Amino acid sequence: MIHAVFELNDKLDTICLRVNGHAGSAQYGHDLVCAAASILTYTLAQIALILDNDRKLRREPKTKLADGDTVITIRPKREYYDEALYAFYNCEVGFTILAQNYPDFVKVTPFGRKAQ
């Protein structure tokens, strides 16, 4: 099962997405649920790079895009915080739709909730 966790850290002013696991809905290389989750995470990672290139982050984003283990963490500048958070919320919506359609394969912990 894929578990996507969206986190805000007020002390560090960071926004983070952690994705772990595999859907297992089909054979490796043919799993459309995993492919959809991958597109969501890779799109968010690219947005993090764009925010960094546009000098909207306080430091370079931390991205780990590994098979079954992804972490994307950014620390936006105050004036761009809402823009950055909006990108993560869009990704959260995508994962929520994926989880609603494939509840046996995807779980989401949205912002403001503790991971289970």
Side-chain angles (χ1 to χ4, degrees):
M1 174 174 275
I2 294 171
H3 189 191
V5 179
F6 292 84
E7 303 169 325
L8 297 174
N9 185 321
D10 293 333
K11 289 182 181 181
L12 299 175
D13 290 327
T14 59
I15 308 169
C16 181
L17 167 62
R18 298 177 192 281
V19 183
N20 293 297
H22 296 279
S25 68
Q27 184 180 10
Y28 184 83
H30 300 278
D31 192 330
L32 296 179
V33 177
C34 272
S38 293
I39 287 297
L40 288 168
T41 56
Y42 275 84
T43 299
L44 186 61
Q46 187 62 43
I47 290 170
L49 291 175
I50 291 168
L51 290 169
D52 188 45
N53 288 338
D54 291 346
R55 295 187 166 96
K56 294 181 178 181
L57 302 181
R58 293 181 186 188
R59 66 171 185 245
E60 187 175 326
K62 293 182 181 178
T63 56
K64 176 183 177 186
L65 299 169
D67 192 18
D69 187 20
T70 294
V71 180
I72 302 166
T73 305
I74 63 170
R75 187 174 180 214
K77 293 179 181 176
R78 285 275 174 214
E79 61 269 29
Y80 302 110
Y81 189 86
D82 289 343
E83 179 182 348
L85 185 59
Y86 186 71
F88 276 76
Y89 273 129
N90 277 300
C91 188
E92 181 185 300
V93 168
F95 268 105
T96 300
I97 292 168
L98 200 57
Q100 288 171 346
N101 284 288
Y102 301 98
D104 293 337
F105 305 109
V106 181
K107 179 180 177 182
V108 178
T109 302
F111 287 116
R113 298 216 178 114
K114 299 226 181 211
Q116 299 176 356

